Amino acid sequence: MRGKFNKSSLIGWQFVLLPSALILLFSFYPMIQSFILSFESGKGNVSHFVGLGNYTRLFSDPMFLQALFNTLLYLVIQVPIMLILGLVIAHLLNSPKLKLKGFYRTAIFLPCVTALVSYSILFKSMFAVDGIFNQMLLNLHIINEPVAWLLDPVWARVVIILAITWRWTGYNMIFYLSAMQNVDPSVYEAASIDGASKFRQFVSITIPMLKPIILFTAIISTNGTLQLFDEVVNITNGGPGNSTMTISQYIYNLSFVYTPNFGYAATVSYAIVVIVAVLAVLQLKVGGEKK
Amino acid sequence: MKHLGAIGKHTFLIIASFISLFPFAWMITGMTNSSSDIVKGKFSFGSEFMNNVNKLFDTADVATAFTNSFVIAIVSTLLTLILCSMAGYGFEVYRTKGTDRLFGLLMLSMMMPFAAIMIPLFKLFSTWGLLNSATAVILPGMTTAFMIFFFLQNTKSFPRELLQAGRVDGLNELKLFTHIYVPTMKPTYAAAAIITFMANWNNFLWPLIALQSPEKKTLPLVVSSLASSYNPDYGIIMVAIIITTIPTIIIFFLLQKQFVQGMLGSVK
């Protein structure tokens, strides 16, 4: 039957041609343009060829290095926390006898329907100096005076990490939960009979079985974190003193906030492209060898 | 010992649910309080709701922003469903070496960070004179590699015998798609519609660049600019956030099943 379908390949091309052309026009063409731009420099529309000038500037640009550091910091801390938390919650929700399962699942998933802008502003208001978070900590006598969370470089980063974790943990949890439901329960029964503890079963059965899904969520989360923009802009606007700024925000600032320098902005954007590519290859190497 | 485990589980899940739901409670009580009360961390209902609503509508043209967001999200969703389902169907049902290669190439665009393409996109739309229009927001987002992938994955479970039966009945290839595939795949379309609508409704960075004049702005842009002013009024911001969130919450609760299935369909 397959062979018969293959004969009609011309029809297949008719179905895929227009959508493919649109992706080529709105993704691949700009990618190539960006690459060409990255060899030019100048303000506004007057630009000239500078060869590798932008690329050498990159490594001595303190603002870029700061944004790169921040972005990688979010990545290294937030992604593992979120994925492990998602796995643990999914594992708990997967136990057959658990009551209130539906409530927990909906509650933990609900943050995923909020707009990135909206939840960012909610977090900004909750972590204000006299905000609800300080009030609660004061009432619980954990702190003696309000902390200016968003004005401290370290705490501001913590708030951003908390916010992203709040928004996305449920998203990853849903993927894990569905994959867990596809695992045959008899595997666990056999392990129980062999005397494996619940924790041991989680580590030795659940996680290996879920490897492809974990890899998938790791890649999309990494990708998302490297492109972090909405949250940082709306919670701290990159401050205090650029300590929370991400690469995406720096590119935006270079293009639309400071005196526009599209060429250098394009160069910075290729830094993300390189990191995304390297990490994707690494993750596939580490996680995908047996697939 | 067994009971202890169950208590531990529930405690953990209750804390997790509490943390998940708290910001929602914060936003709902917040819309009834004045800005100064909100900033002081007041966590109970107040009497400022109507006042906040009136002030919001005086400060920002929320009705226009809502309409803009709605038009963009609906049109984008419709176009995405048509184009991406055609492609997903085409790539799977009529696959050849050539189309497989093209599909692989398209998948690469999923790895392209938006920041890397936004400047050329901005220039492209500026050359076309389309900046500051809904069209500029809709065009680049209407075909995504992810959605094509999503439809292709779901097409794998589509019964091909139906196509054969249709051919016997004398339907041409386009009619097979519109009269057999589309009605059969309704659940897939529903899931794709929800995911796409939400993504477009909540989109921020590209509209921020592409839409400059106030009467073209979408809801997230309005919310963001309200909050970034020097002395933000959190009372009216909370109302604006609620207005932005309500449509997606309604969709989520009405179509929870399809939504969750849809997310899963993409990784099957």
Side-chain angles (χ1 to χ4, degrees):
Chain A
M1 208 156 79
R2 257 230 140 72
K4 194 161 188 193
F5 286 146
N6 285 346
K7 273 182 212 156
S8 45
S9 72
L10 197 66
I11 301 158
W13 282 103
Q14 285 171 351
F15 275 100
V16 303
L17 212 56
L18 178 61
S20 304
L22 287 166
I23 292 188
L24 293 178
L25 175 62
F26 292 122
S27 291
F28 284 86
Y29 170 76
M31 265 321 264
I32 296 162
Q33 284 297 317
S34 258
F35 189 66
I36 296 168
L37 258 177
S38 73
F39 296 102
E40 291 174 8
S41 184
K43 294 184 166 45
N45 283 325
V46 197
S47 54
H48 52 94
F49 184 78
V50 291
L52 289 171
N54 286 329
Y55 286 90
T56 43
R57 179 179 164 189
L58 211 53
F59 295 99
S60 54
D61 175 358
M63 208 112 92
F64 168 72
L65 295 174
Q66 171 83 68
L68 179 68
F69 171 79
N70 294 339
T71 308
L72 294 178
L73 188 79
Y74 297 137
L75 182 74
V76 170
I77 296 178
Q78 197 269 336
V79 173
I81 291 180
M82 173 177 65
L83 297 189
I84 291 169
L85 204 59
L87 260 174
V88 170
I89 295 173
H91 179 67
L92 293 181
L93 288 181
N94 194 39
S95 42
K97 283 181 211 146
L98 187 83
K99 287 179 184 119
L100 289 174
K101 212 180 286 185
F103 167 76
Y104 292 135
R105 197 184 53 215
T106 306
I108 293 165
F109 186 73
L110 207 55
C112 295
V113 309
T114 57
L116 304 183
V117 171
S118 303
Y119 94 86
S120 302
I121 292 162
L122 283 177
F123 272 76
K124 186 183 170 187
S125 73
M126 292 195 301
F127 285 88
V129 179
D130 342 329
I132 182 91
F133 193 66
N134 271 336
Q135 296 290 331
M136 288 199 291
L137 293 182
L138 285 170
N139 290 340
L140 294 169
H141 299 287
I142 293 173
I143 52 172
N144 292 321
E145 49 190 291
V147 179
W149 303 105
L150 298 176
L151 300 178
D152 178 277
V154 175
W155 286 122
R157 292 184 187 127
V158 173
V159 172
I160 286 170
I161 288 173
L162 279 178
I164 313 169
T165 310
W166 179 82
R167 172 66 167 71
W168 293 102
T169 301
Y171 184 81
N172 291 303
M173 184 256 315
I174 289 286
F175 288 117
Y176 300 145
L177 192 56
S178 78
M180 284 175 185
Q181 282 165 355
N182 289 335
V183 178
D184 188 351
S186 62
V187 180
Y188 292 105
E189 278 160 31
S192 290
I193 292 165
D194 290 344
S197 69
K198 286 274 175 211
F199 179 74
R200 192 62 214 265
Q201 291 177 22
F202 179 62
V203 173
S204 312
I205 301 175
T206 311
I207 293 184
M209 289 251 195
L210 259 55
K211 216 171 171 187
I213 295 278
I214 296 174
L215 181 68
F216 174 81
T217 55
I219 291 177
I220 56 172
S221 305
T222 301
N223 230 338
T225 312
L226 288 175
Q227 300 192 46
L228 198 62
F229 178 82
D230 304 19
E231 289 89 340
V232 175
V233 167
N234 288 296
I235 297 178
T236 60
N237 199 17
N242 300 330
S243 62
T244 57
M245 196 203 287
T246 60
I247 304 180
S248 286
Q249 195 192 356
Y250 187 43
I251 296 166
Y252 175 80
N253 288 349
L254 281 171
S255 318
F256 301 104
V257 178
Y258 313 145
T259 317
N261 187 341
F262 287 155
Y264 186 54
T267 313
V268 176
S269 75
Y270 259 81
I272 307 193
V273 177
V274 171
I275 300 170
V276 167
V278 169
L279 287 178
V281 171
L282 263 178
Q283 284 169 328
L284 285 169
K285 275 244 156 77
V286 173
E289 78 266 37
K290 267 197 222 152
K291 266 221 305 189
Chain B
M1 199 48 211
K2 237 181 173 171
H3 284 288
L4 211 66
I7 292 170
K9 257 184 208 174
H10 279 281
T11 315
F12 183 82
L13 289 170
I14 287 168
I15 294 173
S17 307
F18 176 79
I19 295 173
S20 288
L21 295 177
F22 185 81
F24 290 97
W26 173 243
M27 122 183 128
I28 291 165
T29 58
M31 72 178 178
T32 68
N33 287 312
S34 69
S35 186
S36 57
D37 279 343
I38 294 168
V39 178
K40 275 186 210 131
K42 179 174 179 239
F43 186 55
S44 57
F45 286 102
S47 54
E48 293 291 311
F49 178 59
M50 277 324 290
N51 196 10
N52 285 336
V53 172
N54 291 333
K55 268 199 285 178
L56 172 63
F57 280 81
D58 287 343
T59 318
D61 193 350
V62 181
T64 305
F66 191 94
T67 316
N68 292 342
S69 280
F70 199 74
V71 169
I72 288 173
I74 292 283
V75 176
S76 301
T77 306
L78 282 176
L79 290 171
T80 304
L81 291 187
I82 297 169
L83 289 164
C84 294
S85 69
M86 275 175 61
Y89 172 84
F91 278 124
E92 176 63 19
V93 173
Y94 305 98
R95 64 187 294 183
T96 61
K97 250 191 196 144
T99 58
D100 264 0
R101 282 205 190 109
L102 178 61
F103 179 73
L105 181 70
L106 296 186
M107 286 302 109
L108 275 181
S109 71
M110 275 210 266
M111 306 299 281
M112 292 177 189
F114 184 76
I117 62 172
M118 71 184 186
I119 301 158
L121 267 186
F122 177 79
K123 287 188 150 186
L124 191 65
F125 279 92
S126 137
T127 327
W128 289 347
L130 283 174
L131 280 182
N132 217 4
S133 71
T135 317
V137 180
I138 293 166
L139 282 182
M142 66 186 182
T143 29
T144 63
F146 178 77
M147 265 301 140
I148 295 178
F149 174 73
F150 175 79
F151 274 103
L152 181 137
Q153 284 292 321
N154 281 288
T155 306
K156 289 192 168 148
S157 57
F158 170 73
R160 306 289 173 93
E161 300 75 27
L162 290 180
L163 296 180
Q164 285 301 68
R167 285 195 184 99
V168 173
D169 287 346
L171 290 178
N172 67 34
E173 300 296 316
L174 184 64
K175 281 211 167 127
L176 289 177
F177 175 73
T178 55
H179 288 53
I180 295 177
Y181 178 82
V182 176
T184 315
M185 301 299 279
K186 261 187 196 150
T188 303
Y189 278 91
I194 301 161
I195 297 168
T196 313
F197 182 88
M198 286 206 187
N200 284 293
W201 181 263
N202 294 335
N203 197 5
F204 180 64
L205 179 52
W206 176 239
L208 178 68
I209 297 166
L211 305 174
Q212 303 292 337
S213 58
E215 77 277 4
K216 298 286 181 193
K217 297 213 153 141
T218 56
L219 275 176
L221 298 181
V222 170
V223 173
S224 173
S225 67
L226 286 174
S228 61
S229 72
Y230 181 67
N231 194 9
D233 183 326
Y234 279 107
I236 69 174
I237 291 168
M238 291 296 175
V239 179
I241 289 177
I242 297 251
I243 294 174
T244 313
T245 313
I246 282 175
T248 48
I249 295 227
I250 292 176
I251 290 180
F252 172 71
F253 276 109
L254 283 180
L255 303 163
Q256 195 174 14
K257 227 176 164 181
Q258 280 95 325
F259 183 74
V260 173
Q261 268 173 359
M263 303 222 331
L264 304 177
S266 57
V267 288
K268 252 188 274 181

